[in-house]
Amino acid sequence: MLSKLPSSIRPSLDLQFRRALEPHGDIRRARQLFDEIPEPDIRSWTLLITTYTKRGFPEEALKVYDELRQRKVLPDQLALLSVTKTCATLGNLIKAKGIHQDVIRYGYHCDLLLGNALIDMYGKCKYIQGAKEVFDNLSAKDVISWTSMSSCYVNCKLPREALRIFREMGLNRVRPNPVTLSSILPACSDLKSLNLGREIHGYIIRNGIHDNVYVSSALVDMYASCSSIKQAESVFDSTHQFDYVLCNVIMSAYFSNGQCDKALHVFDQLRKRGTKLNHDSWNSVIGGCMQSGRTDKALQILREMQQSGAKPNKITITSVLPTCIDLGSIRRGAEIHGFIIRRLFLKDETVSTALVLMYAKCGDLELSKRVFYMMPKKDTIAWNTMIIGNSMHGKGEEALMLFHQMVSLGVKPNSVTFTGVLSGCSHSQLVDEGLLIFYSMSKEHGIEPDAEHYSCMVDALSRAGRLEQAYNFIQNMPLKPTASAWGALLGASRVYKNVELARAAGKQLLEIEPENAGNYVLLSNIYEAAKLREEASEIRKLMRERGIIKLPGCSWIQVKDKVHTFVVGDKNNAQTAEIYSFLAEIGEKMKLAGYLPCTDLVGQDLDAEEKEYSLCNHSERLAVAFGILNLDGASSIRVFKNLRICGDCHNAIKYLAKIVGVQIIVRDPLRFHHFKDGLCSCRDFW
């Protein structure tokens, strides 16, 4: 037995254990050696806890501490300090409270070092009451105590209280240090308190602390948050250190203020200096490019990140997945999915939820469902994402089923949940089911319907042809009707050819959002279809007088690794001749099958043949034709459009899908249209 080993052998075992705990040692071997020590002293316990925490295994560190207590080993000040820092790393409030009780139980409640660590721990756990209790019970407080307490208030989103503590600190003649200043400046950022931020900046300059990189970073962030980008830039330029932390902050400031090129210049400078970039730098610039609409640049930087040897982490993945949504690139999304599987990120709820959303918005609802049902744990956001995914694909029944399943499992729905499920009811004409859900919101779930929920119900009633009921619903809303509600009624008036209600809805819309070109166009089209040419002309005239310009229609499709974009009448594609030839040829077959071009809404100065040709030039039809010509054995194509799909194109694509024998999926800003066998999933109402 090891316990019977000569005492001369035991020191050798202790030595091996301590060597295994060194920076390049084997932590697993250290644990094995620790278990072989007959009666480890408190120093060995503390070393093991500390090393587990430093190596990124805080859960293991807590297990070691629990084991220490089970063996009735009395922890000393260092052991308690070590496990307090472990709890701070984890942000585990239940364990944190237990550690606090142990500090009191073992008589260390007056210890300043431990008291400061406890305040910091509670701050990381976002538990202000615990931190305040420790702070108030300290007989003596140093600069770390005051700094930790103010930081705790900042972490708990109580910036005014943080500033109050900062002022009390000054009244108690405790001089702030760089950590104090870098932790209190975010309170000024949160409150957009530029004057107070400037006062602190003045103190920093007078006391020669302006060269501290963390203080400078906090100053840059404060000025940027207060929309003083010039002053943020001035602080950055005057700092003698070109540190990646500071660079990350100024890049974020530039991105937030719409100065993408300046942010990219700082990033290039950082790389030219040979500074080793961490994940924060890569993620900052990838996320910033996404925020600025530079999706291609974000993907390019992701490739450069991988080429540099840096491996994307969870934040990188969740930042870059929206690029696949913007470009409709399900292939790239699948590549990222593969990377996620290889890196074992699927256990992370945020990453898995981002994947669910990506597949749904790229048009593959089945893959979206597969990822969702494989998630071991699903929070409210995950359920909402899947409900909304089904809704946007016109699967209202599935959205309802998911909602009831979510509630039955005890997951609490929120406002977004109801927006998703009511939208699903609307798209699938499940009016009565939608009304039941709507009225259950406040009665059963304690959530008062907001303007968005009312708009969903107006949309549901309108789509089902219950226009008068929808109009009355708007009139009786306890809230001021929004553009969404009137827009739903206007859209339904087009479908059901109710000019009077269209006129009423249109009048409201032109007052609520006079800059929205879509309302003018839709109202004008309704009048044109009703042969009310004079009223249609008046709307177009009003549009011109107000300087309202219709956003050009644009459609795109990915073939292999390239995204191809089309605008109306586009002739810039390498296959332009083939596209127009195909459309002319298939057009004859479509007419034989019963297709009749809807030329009513095309300019009146064209003859019938020119009107038909004009319709064939629409961007979505060109993109669909290009996709069909490049099928390469695929059974479906996906096209994305920035504007609502044209009514005639919608009709034409139904015939195209039937004649060619493929499924055509088109995503416009409102929803997905799945065309197959001459039918569309929207049932011709969108």
Side-chain angles (χ1 to χ4, degrees):
M1 293 288 290
L2 285 166
S3 59
K4 294 181 180 178
L5 286 171
S7 59
S8 60
I9 296 177
R10 286 178 205 152
S12 172
L13 201 57
D14 287 342
L15 185 61
Q16 288 179 60
F17 165 67
R18 281 167 173 73
R19 280 179 179 167
L21 290 176
E22 288 174 0
H24 300 293
D26 185 345
I27 186 72
R28 285 176 294 184
R29 177 64 180 150
R31 176 72 222 213
Q32 289 169 357
L33 290 165
F34 178 81
D35 290 338
E36 291 177 14
I37 299 172
E39 292 180 10
D41 58 19
I42 189 59
R43 184 163 174 259
S44 297
W45 287 99
T46 304
L47 277 171
L48 191 58
I49 292 167
T50 304
T51 306
Y52 267 129
T53 304
K54 283 181 178 177
R55 298 275 187 93
F57 302 106
E59 293 91 351
E60 292 301 317
L62 283 181
K63 285 178 186 175
V64 173
Y65 181 74
D66 288 340
E67 194 178 332
L68 173 152
R69 295 183 77 248
Q70 285 163 13
R71 290 205 202 175
K72 298 190 174 10
V73 177
L74 286 178
D76 62 8
Q77 182 205 36
L78 288 177
L80 289 166
L81 190 62
S82 179
V83 77
T84 299
K85 289 177 179 177
T86 301
C87 260
T89 302
L90 274 174
N92 186 325
L93 182 57
I94 294 171
K95 288 287 185 183
K97 287 180 176 179
I99 299 300
H100 187 186
Q101 288 304 311
D102 283 357
V103 169
I104 296 168
R105 183 182 298 114
Y106 297 119
Y108 291 104
H109 54 283
C110 293
D111 186 278
L112 180 61
L113 198 63
L114 263 171
N116 291 342
L118 285 170
I119 295 169
D120 179 66
M121 173 189 74
Y122 277 130
K124 299 282 173 46
C125 294
K126 294 182 170 56
Y127 183 58
I128 198 71
Q129 290 90 339
K132 195 171 181 301
E133 180 188 333
V134 176
F135 182 78
D136 291 342
N137 288 330
L138 284 175
S139 54
K141 301 178 181 74
D142 62 6
V143 64
I144 298 172
S145 315
W146 290 97
T147 300
S148 299
M149 195 64 225
S150 62
S151 284
C152 182
Y153 277 120
V154 171
N155 284 344
C156 294
K157 304 296 181 190
L158 295 165
R160 293 186 193 282
E161 289 298 305
L163 290 169
R164 179 184 62 78
I165 286 288
F166 181 66
R167 290 190 191 97
E168 278 186 31
M169 178 182 177
L171 293 172
N172 280 272
R173 304 195 178 198
V174 179
R175 188 181 177 87
N177 63 18
V179 177
T180 316
L181 296 165
S182 61
S183 62
I184 199 62
L185 278 165
C188 301
S189 300
D190 290 344
L191 293 170
K192 305 287 186 289
S193 180
L194 181 59
N195 289 336
L196 184 55
R198 281 176 174 157
E199 285 180 33
I200 295 172
H201 189 186
Y203 177 90
I204 288 165
I205 292 170
R206 289 193 300 276
N207 289 274
I209 312 172
H210 54 281
D211 268 347
N212 181 285
V213 69
Y214 294 102
V215 172
S216 296
S217 298
L219 276 172
V220 170
D221 181 67
M222 182 274 296
Y223 280 123
S225 298
C226 296
S227 301
S228 296
I229 191 67
K230 287 289 181 190
Q231 285 176 283
E233 204 168 39
S234 176
V235 173
F236 176 75
D237 291 339
S238 65
T239 306
H240 298 116
Q241 298 182 57
F242 203 81
D243 180 87
Y244 73 85
V245 173
L246 183 58
C247 288
N248 290 348
V249 175
I250 192 67
M251 283 192 295
S252 294
Y254 281 138
F255 281 126
S256 297
N257 283 271
Q259 298 181 24
C260 183
D261 289 333
K262 281 191 174 183
L264 290 171
H265 175 71
V266 172
F267 184 65
D268 289 339
Q269 291 295 108
L270 198 59
R271 289 200 285 182
K272 282 176 185 174
R273 288 172 181 249
T275 308
K276 187 175 180 182
L277 303 181
N278 66 357
H279 279 104
D280 290 340
S281 300
W282 289 107
N283 292 341
S284 176
V285 77
I286 289 170
C289 286
M290 284 296 304
Q291 177 186 326
S292 305
R294 302 275 293 272
T295 51
D296 286 340
K297 188 67 178 175
L299 289 173
Q300 177 194 325
I301 291 168
L302 175 64
R303 286 192 292 271
E304 290 170 7
M305 177 185 185
Q306 291 172 298
Q307 287 163 6
S308 74
K311 293 181 178 178
N313 62 9
K314 296 170 192 175
I315 297 170
T316 322
I317 295 300
T318 51
S319 295
V320 83
L321 271 172
T323 63
C324 306
I325 295 169
D326 289 347
L327 298 173
S329 178
I330 200 163
R331 177 179 294 205
R332 186 167 293 280
E335 287 174 9
I336 295 171
H337 188 178
F339 178 84
I340 290 168
I341 292 169
R342 291 193 298 276
R343 295 282 291 169
L344 303 176
F345 287 159
L346 273 177
K347 291 181 181 178
D348 185 273
E349 278 182 81
T350 306
V351 172
S352 293
T353 302
L355 264 180
V356 170
L357 181 65
M358 182 277 296
Y359 278 126
K361 285 206 163 187
C362 283
D364 198 324
L365 190 60
E366 287 309 310
L367 275 177
S368 181
K369 288 177 183 175
R370 198 178 302 172
V371 174
F372 176 77
Y373 285 115
M374 285 175 67
M375 289 174 69
K377 188 181 175 187
K378 305 173 186 73
D379 61 8
T380 301
I381 297 171
W383 283 97
N384 288 353
T385 303
M386 195 70 255
I387 288 169
I388 291 166
N390 276 282
S391 295
M392 71 173 67
H393 283 269
K395 303 282 186 181
E397 293 86 353
E398 285 84 347
L400 264 175
M401 180 199 71
L402 282 163
F403 170 75
H404 292 305
Q405 190 179 350
M406 170 188 183
V407 172
S408 69
L409 289 170
V411 182
K412 190 173 175 61
N414 60 18
S415 178
V416 177
T417 315
F418 288 101
T419 301
V421 74
L422 289 174
S423 175
C425 290
S426 171
H427 284 302
S428 299
Q429 296 188 22
L430 301 169
V431 186
D432 294 327
E433 292 85 344
L435 284 167
L436 284 172
I437 294 288
F438 179 82
Y439 290 119
S440 76
M441 285 179 65
S442 55
K443 289 180 183 176
E444 296 177 25
H445 303 282
I447 297 172
E448 286 301 319
D450 61 23
E452 193 65 31
H453 302 123
Y454 278 97
S455 296
C456 285
M457 280 317 307
V458 171
D459 193 41
L461 291 163
S462 300
R463 286 172 185 273
R466 292 153 68 166
L467 299 189
E468 291 297 335
Q469 192 178 348
Y471 182 70
N472 291 333
F473 195 86
I474 292 176
Q475 298 290 80
N476 295 319
M477 279 173 61
L479 309 166
K480 187 177 179 181
T482 61
S484 297
W486 288 115
L489 187 61
L490 181 63
S493 300
R494 173 192 65 85
V495 173
Y496 292 105
K497 298 180 171 54
N498 190 320
V499 178
E500 287 309 309
L501 281 180
R503 189 177 283 114
K507 182 183 176 184
Q508 295 293 331
L509 282 167
L510 297 189
E511 288 178 9
I512 296 170
E513 43 178 27
E515 303 299 316
N516 187 337
N519 295 329
Y520 295 87
V521 174
L522 184 53
L523 191 56
S524 170
N525 288 346
I526 290 169
Y527 289 148
E528 284 284 3
K531 310 297 183 189
L532 299 171
R533 303 275 159 71
E534 197 171 316
E535 289 189 66
S537 180
E538 282 298 316
I539 293 296
R540 290 196 293 271
K541 181 185 174 186
L542 182 62
M543 194 174 173
R544 286 194 300 272
E545 287 172 353
R546 292 182 175 180
I548 310 298
I549 300 170
K550 182 185 173 186
L551 185 71
C554 172
S555 300
W556 60 97
I557 182 172
Q558 183 177 25
V559 173
K560 295 181 181 175
D561 289 325
K562 188 177 178 184
V563 175
H564 299 263
T565 305
F566 296 86
V567 294
V568 63
D570 205 323
K571 294 188 178 177
N572 292 320
N573 190 279
Q575 292 180 253
T576 292
E578 294 172 63
I579 290 169
Y580 283 98
S581 175
F582 168 78
L583 285 173
E585 183 184 333
I586 202 76
E588 294 304 316
K589 293 180 182 177
M590 286 161 56
K591 285 179 184 176
L592 290 172
Y595 163 68
L596 292 172
C598 180
T599 59
D600 289 349
L601 307 180
V602 183
Q604 300 304 306
D605 54 340
L606 302 177
D607 62 29
E609 190 175 333
E610 287 175 320
K611 288 180 181 181
E612 285 187 34
Y613 180 74
S614 172
L615 291 170
C616 288
N617 287 341
H618 285 190
S619 66
E620 57 265 58
R621 210 173 305 193
L622 297 174
V624 166
F626 179 76
I628 292 170
L629 290 170
N630 292 276
L631 270 171
D632 196 23
S635 59
S636 64
I637 59 171
R638 292 178 177 84
V639 170
F640 301 84
K641 191 179 179 192
N642 66 331
L643 300 178
R644 186 174 168 277
I645 188 171
C646 153
D648 181 72
C649 287
H650 185 274
N651 191 32
I653 294 170
K654 288 195 295 184
Y655 283 93
L656 269 169
K658 185 173 184 179
I659 292 167
V660 180
V662 296
Q663 183 180 24
I664 301 171
I665 301 164
V666 179
R667 185 188 83 192
D668 68 13
L670 295 181
R671 60 167 297 153
F672 276 91
H673 299 264
H674 294 256
F675 298 93
K676 191 175 181 181
D677 299 327
L679 300 171
C680 179
S681 59
C682 77
R683 302 171 194 174
D684 296 338
F685 198 133
W686 71 100

